[in-house]
Amino acid sequence: MSSGDEKAIIKQYQPLIRALIPYEQQNKLLEGINKFSKRLPSSVRKVVREEVIRLTSLTDAPADNSAFARFPVMKFKHFGVQMRLDKVGAQILKNETALYRDRYTVGVFESVMNSSFYQTQIKKEQFQKVVDAFNVESQSFSDIEFGDDIAIRPNFSVSSAEFENGRNCAISALSFKGLALETKRPPNVNTGETITFMLPEIVGLTKEATEVSLTLSGIKYNKELGKYESHFQFEDNVDSAFISNLKRYISLTAYKQPLQLDLEIERAMQDLERDRILENSPWLPVFLAPHKSLFKPVIGLFTKGNTGFNDAKHLLSCLREKPMFEVLSKELQRYREAFVFCGTIKTKQGEVQVVATHRQLLKLAQLNALVYLLVKGGNFTCIHCRLDNISNEDKRRAFAIHDISANDFESLKDISHVMYCKDVTCYLSNLTLSSKCDFKPLSRSIRASGKAWHIDFVMEEALDRRSETRYLLDKPATVRTGLLSTLEAQVSDLSAKGMKIIVKPHSVIQKDVRVSVPELKLKNEKYKVIDFNAETGVVRLCLLEEARISKVSASVDSMIEKQSAHFKTRDIARLQRATHRYIWELAVRHMPSLSVLCVMNRHTLDRLKTVYQSETSDDLYPFSRTQRVIPLHGFFADKGQAKPKSRLLEEMFKETTNNSLVVHCVRKSDSRLVFINEKDFLYSKLRLQIRDQLVNDKIQLSATDISAVRCHGAATPLTKKRLAQLSKLNKAMYEKLEAMQAGYTHCIFLTNMSALHHDLVIDNLIGKAPEATVDVSVVA
């Protein structure tokens, strides 16, 4: 065998040679060769064996890598042999010596003197620096579970003749194991003493004043409170029934009373951050209730974020279609994710309204044809939907946190799931066919039927333009629409300057009407029609004559005052506020996307503060979380850069771009990750090559949408609520957390859209390039 052949074999089997080195150190080389290379030709085995023996033989050659080293270069001795190496060379020497069982061998010498091996180590170090720079600590959308460490700060005090001369002492922490009492001075008691305290009558805990024996475990000075805390533990002989009642009491009141200071700070921080993510999220939550083993939509939540990102009312109108929603429900139950196409297609019979899921179109083998026709028509919407389950515990907590009686909101009790929706039309609006396709007759199953669910929506007070207090009513009325024409109606709600009435659907209504409500003593009052829905018969009215406003307002105020108790429960503003807070509380625990909170900082990468991710999320694919650390380099880091940089983040913070698509291909043969430029993936011939690889099942596609939203303000609708409990404990910490809220600048959302983009690529749909693009590297 020629020397050239031997060099080729050594280069080809380098990983095997390095794997056999430890076996040679243990005099088990033959065993190792048989284990790793049973099927290799004998000539190759011989070359591999001789190379391993050569590399593991001892040497005394001095190593000097100054020809390609990074200065400064150090002079030192290693096992008595002179070395002249830089820091990287010294690290290579250390690692290689460890590989060769603390021996200075030919293999160690060659590794230190090999410039290509040196450059490989440099690249590894640089890549690790990039990875570390983009690592961010993660949090969960689920509530923090304090377990047995949970401790509340109750609103009652205890006393004992043996402690502080019988004075009532405030409880700074009450847990399953004991309690902590606050005093201005250190108490005159010794650790280990047992003291009997008197607990007052407490609803849910004790029916009468109760004596409890506790042992002092220690006294600490609390700098935050500026007081001494005496920590007591329950005696072993305390009644087990009392301990059971105590655990139940703490679990029931944990959301109504403040926790121990450090726990309350932790809880408030999570609540404030989750609220900020929801407030600025592009996802619109629609809450669902069970219906014939499937779902029906009940109510949506409008926020500043989702109304700014989407045409929120249009999204709801697209999702109302009953037959389509049945199909959508089945898909969501199975896949937890779906994409809905809604738009008009021009046919010979005229324009046809189409509403279908992308899997429906795949089943009909019409995805490419329908997308092409919808894009050509120019009037279509693609909605990304994700589903999550809402547990009874979630609902119990939401009712408890906002002190709402479940019996007052029967419709909200039935909610079982939340569906998040987001307009993703931007990724399809420029698509066209890369090859011919079959245009089949339009299936009836994807045509809009006209049967629609009614979906309510609720919004924060800042978004609601109706400033007046309105009250729910159900009173008969007569509407005069002309000289001799009248309509029977029902008054649905009433305010000082307007009302909502319901007439027969498809009635004829003029711009101005006169309304009579005998029971309210209103006769022929002239109102202006603000809005009329012919399908539902809902008419919204406003008083037309300024002169009549004061008189009617006085009449309404007088009626409300006489029956204040009755109308308090029918105050629409109050009901909407409670509804808004309840479904907000459900939504913050089930956000659908991986969310990154960003703060103000001089350095771009230091602005990435925290990542929130649900336990079931796959938005990080093809990367993975390590314990509580989230690697974001694959989405944000500039490729091929020695130092950690991110052009995408800089553009998002400067708001020159708001969204981007990050694409990777995972090669199945060796799990190698190949990054694909967004423009090349959407517009170039590389997309056709990716399609061929997908069809042949050689790669897996990962497409992640990244959307950045500037925070709409320092405060969210629930900021005051979240800080209310903390303000009772520590005013300084309350002010600190409140001031911190102005430091958040952006929320960035990462959403895996691989399912849709995979099918669009497979079905020969490609973007029309806005400008000429250059074909780059091909996926191997």
Side-chain angles (χ1 to χ4, degrees):
M1 184 180 292
S2 66
S3 60
D5 292 338
E6 287 185 1
K7 287 181 180 179
I9 290 171
I10 291 171
K11 184 177 180 180
Q12 181 180 355
Y13 291 98
Q14 193 61 229
L16 173 61
I17 291 168
R18 288 185 69 83
L20 290 172
I21 287 169
Y23 286 88
E24 168 62 12
Q25 306 291 325
Q26 301 173 42
N27 294 319
K28 295 180 179 180
L29 180 57
L30 184 60
E31 180 183 327
I33 291 175
N34 290 333
K35 180 178 180 181
F36 291 116
S37 54
K38 287 181 180 178
R39 298 182 182 179
L40 290 180
S42 59
S43 59
V44 174
R45 286 161 60 95
K46 182 182 177 183
V47 172
V48 169
R49 182 171 62 83
E50 289 177 352
E51 178 65 11
V52 172
I53 292 171
R54 187 186 74 82
L55 292 174
T56 53
S57 60
L58 295 175
T59 184
D60 59 358
D64 182 350
N65 76 341
S66 57
F68 51 82
R70 289 180 172 183
F71 289 91
V73 172
M74 302 173 289
K75 291 181 180 180
F76 61 94
K77 287 187 177 181
H78 182 69
F79 293 138
V81 180
Q82 190 67 42
M83 301 287 156
R84 194 164 181 266
L85 308 172
D86 67 343
K87 285 185 178 180
V88 178
Q91 187 62 43
I92 292 172
L93 178 67
K94 180 181 177 182
N95 295 340
E96 291 295 296
T97 303
L99 175 65
Y100 286 87
R101 291 291 185 92
D102 289 328
R103 300 168 72 200
Y104 183 60
T105 66
V106 172
V108 176
F109 170 76
E110 290 184 355
S111 294
V112 172
M113 297 297 290
N114 190 328
S115 63
S116 62
F117 190 84
Y118 179 92
Q119 292 301 323
T120 301
Q121 301 305 309
I122 293 289
K123 287 180 181 179
K124 284 183 179 178
E125 286 185 10
Q126 288 174 342
F127 179 72
Q128 191 58 49
K129 286 179 181 178
V130 171
V131 172
D132 292 342
F134 285 90
N135 282 346
V136 186
E137 187 176 344
S138 73
Q139 298 283 351
S140 172
F141 284 112
S142 302
D143 286 348
I144 300 170
E145 293 294 340
F146 296 109
D148 289 344
D149 294 328
I150 190 169
I152 63 172
R153 184 186 176 93
N155 54 9
F156 59 85
S157 57
V158 297
S159 62
S160 172
E162 307 166 50
F163 188 81
E164 290 291 282
N165 296 324
R167 296 189 189 95
N168 282 326
C169 297
I171 301 175
S172 61
L174 174 64
S175 69
F176 303 158
K177 302 172 185 176
L179 53 81
L181 299 180
E182 288 181 359
T183 54
K184 292 181 179 179
R185 301 178 183 83
N188 188 22
V189 287
N190 297 318
T191 302
E193 279 190 45
T194 300
I195 298 175
T196 301
F197 287 94
M198 182 66 69
L199 291 179
E201 181 183 343
I202 306 157
V203 177
L205 180 59
T206 57
K207 295 181 180 179
E208 57 185 15
T210 306
E211 290 185 347
V212 180
S213 296
L214 296 111
T215 302
L216 180 66
S217 60
I219 301 172
K220 295 179 182 178
Y221 181 72
N222 191 320
K223 291 183 180 179
E224 297 290 343
L225 298 173
K227 295 180 180 179
Y228 288 89
E229 285 186 324
S230 303
H231 295 267
F232 291 89
Q233 292 183 340
F234 290 114
E235 289 280 277
D236 295 336
N237 58 359
V238 172
D239 187 6
S240 59
F242 172 78
I243 299 297
S244 298
N245 280 343
L246 178 62
K247 290 181 177 181
R248 180 174 172 275
Y249 174 78
I250 291 175
S251 64
L252 289 175
T253 60
Y255 292 96
K256 298 180 180 180
Q257 297 189 71
L259 300 180
Q260 184 181 348
L261 181 59
D262 55 341
L263 303 184
E264 184 60 36
I265 293 170
E266 195 174 347
R267 180 169 72 173
M269 281 290 293
Q270 185 195 37
D271 286 341
L272 290 166
E273 290 188 336
R274 289 189 308 188
D275 288 345
R276 187 163 304 283
I277 290 170
L278 176 58
E279 169 78 347
N280 299 288
S281 170
W283 292 92
L284 189 157
V286 179
F287 294 85
L288 314 178
H291 179 75
K292 296 181 181 179
S293 77
L294 296 173
F295 308 119
K296 66 176 181 179
V298 178
I299 190 169
L301 174 64
F302 288 1
T303 67
K304 290 175 183 175
N306 64 42
T307 53
F309 188 89
N310 313 282
D311 183 347
K313 290 185 179 179
H314 175 65
L315 250 62
L316 292 186
S317 67
C318 292
L319 297 169
R320 292 171 56 210
E321 176 71 18
K322 281 189 176 182
M324 185 282 301
F325 202 86
E326 186 175 331
V327 175
L328 178 61
S329 297
K330 292 177 181 177
E331 283 190 22
L332 290 172
Q333 280 184 326
R334 182 174 180 181
Y335 302 103
R336 316 298 289 183
E337 180 180 68
F339 295 88
V340 176
F341 295 98
C342 177
T344 55
I345 292 177
K346 293 180 181 179
T347 66
K348 293 179 180 178
Q349 291 77 31
E351 289 191 346
V352 176
Q353 182 77 16
V354 173
V355 185
T357 68
H358 103 281
R359 290 189 178 90
Q360 260 186 299
L361 300 180
L362 282 175
K363 193 174 181 180
L364 295 168
Q366 286 288 279
L367 177 65
N368 49 6
L370 264 295
V371 169
Y372 173 75
L373 293 173
L374 286 169
V375 172
K376 190 177 179 181
N379 179 24
F380 88 104
T381 305
C382 179
I383 306 171
H384 189 180
C385 301
R386 285 186 169 182
L387 184 75
D388 203 2
N389 175 63
I390 293 176
S391 66
N392 289 329
E393 178 62 19
D394 288 336
K395 292 190 280 187
R396 184 191 71 78
R397 285 178 179 176
F399 281 125
I401 289 170
H402 298 292
D403 198 20
I404 302 170
S405 172
N407 295 327
D408 294 339
F409 297 88
E410 291 294 333
S411 61
L412 299 182
K413 284 171 61 179
D414 296 335
I415 288 173
S416 62
H417 292 76
V418 57
M419 177 180 71
Y420 284 88
C421 315
K422 184 174 72 166
D423 189 336
V424 293
T425 314
C426 61
Y427 290 118
L428 292 90
S429 58
N430 202 29
L431 292 179
T432 187
L433 295 169
S434 62
S435 62
K436 292 183 179 180
C437 72
D438 295 329
F439 291 91
K440 300 177 182 178
L442 210 58
S443 171
R444 286 176 177 262
S445 63
I446 62 174
R447 296 189 182 210
S449 66
K451 299 176 182 177
W453 291 109
H454 172 68
I455 308 178
D456 285 326
F457 61 86
V458 68
M459 64 186 77
E460 61 188 86
E461 292 178 0
L463 294 178
D464 196 340
R465 293 184 297 273
R466 296 167 293 184
S467 58
E468 282 189 316
T469 302
R470 296 171 298 122
Y471 299 94
L472 290 172
L473 291 175
D474 188 14
K475 303 290 184 183
T478 303
V479 181
R480 202 168 81 187
T481 58
L483 189 61
L484 298 173
S485 57
T486 59
L487 290 173
E488 295 300 317
Q490 288 291 120
V491 179
S492 178
D493 73 48
L494 176 71
S495 67
K497 297 180 182 178
M499 66 171 66
K500 181 173 80 173
I501 62 173
I502 301 174
V503 299
K504 190 175 180 180
H506 304 291
S507 299
V508 178
I509 297 288
Q510 314 299 325
K511 291 183 179 179
D512 300 332
V513 294
R514 289 190 176 272
V515 181
S516 298
V517 187
E519 293 188 32
L520 302 181
K521 297 181 180 179
L522 293 179
K523 187 175 182 181
N524 285 337
E525 287 294 345
K526 195 173 184 180
Y527 283 87
K528 180 182 178 181
V529 176
I530 301 299
D531 181 62
F532 173 50
N533 189 321
E535 292 183 2
T536 60
V538 174
V539 188
R540 299 184 185 277
L541 306 172
C542 177
L543 275 174
L544 188 59
E545 298 177 4
E546 288 291 333
R548 299 291 299 166
I549 290 177
S550 58
K551 185 176 180 181
V552 174
S553 297
S555 176
V556 171
D557 291 341
S558 175
M559 178 185 68
I560 301 302
E561 190 177 344
K562 290 177 181 177
Q563 304 178 59
S564 58
H566 170 77
F567 281 104
K568 184 179 179 181
T569 61
R570 304 177 73 81
D571 182 347
I572 293 178
R574 174 184 167 275
L575 296 174
Q576 284 193 334
R577 187 163 53 250
T579 302
H580 174 264
R581 288 191 168 191
Y582 173 77
I583 64 175
W584 180 289
E585 204 65 48
L586 297 180
V588 295
R589 289 166 171 76
H590 300 277
M591 293 302 294
S593 287
L594 185 145
S595 311
V596 187
L597 280 171
C598 305
V599 294
M600 289 187 291
N601 199 292
R602 287 177 57 196
H603 305 289
T604 301
L605 302 188
D606 291 336
R607 297 186 66 172
L608 304 177
K609 179 183 180 289
T610 314
V611 172
Y612 275 81
Q613 181 188 27
S614 68
E615 300 300 325
T616 57
S617 170
D618 67 343
D619 292 322
L620 203 56
Y621 181 81
F623 305 94
S624 57
R625 179 175 66 179
T626 304
Q627 294 180 341
R628 290 187 61 185
V629 176
I630 300 286
L632 296 177
H633 62 280
F635 303 103
F636 295 121
D638 289 348
K639 306 302 179 287
Q641 295 291 323
K643 294 183 179 179
K645 291 182 180 179
S646 177
R647 181 183 55 83
L648 177 59
L649 279 178
E650 288 174 359
E651 289 179 354
M652 286 185 166
F653 291 142
K654 291 177 181 176
E655 297 180 47
T656 56
T657 183
N658 293 323
N659 67 288
S660 178
L661 191 69
V662 177
V663 183
H664 295 90
C665 287
V666 183
R667 200 161 61 184
K668 292 188 176 180
S669 60
D670 58 0
S671 298
R672 184 188 170 193
L673 206 61
V674 181
F675 169 75
I676 310 295
N677 184 277
E678 179 181 4
K679 290 182 179 178
D680 296 327
F681 172 71
L682 293 175
Y683 310 120
S684 77
K685 292 180 181 179
L686 182 60
R687 187 178 177 95
L688 306 180
Q689 297 170 8
I690 292 172
R691 180 192 179 279
D692 293 339
Q693 299 282 347
L694 288 172
V695 170
N696 294 325
D697 200 29
K698 291 185 177 180
I699 62 172
Q700 190 165 340
L701 181 68
S702 168
T704 304
D705 169 66
I706 300 180
S707 299
V709 180
R710 172 173 279 280
C711 292
H712 287 82
T716 68
L718 267 70
T719 297
K720 290 183 179 179
K721 168 72 176 177
R722 303 306 190 192
L723 293 172
Q725 303 285 24
L726 187 60
S727 66
K728 300 174 185 176
L729 300 182
N730 190 300
K731 191 70 174 176
M733 186 56 67
Y734 160 77
E735 291 173 351
K736 184 178 179 180
L737 277 188
E738 188 178 39
M740 279 176 58
Q741 301 314 301
Y744 294 93
T745 61
H746 292 78
C747 294
I748 301 177
F749 301 90
L750 278 68
T751 309
N752 189 329
M753 293 181 62
S754 304
L756 176 65
H757 285 286
H758 174 277
D759 294 332
L760 294 175
V761 171
I762 291 289
D763 265 27
N764 291 309
L765 288 159
I766 189 170
K768 291 176 283 187
E771 56 185 38
T773 55
V774 180
D775 192 6
V776 293
S777 58
V778 179
V779 180

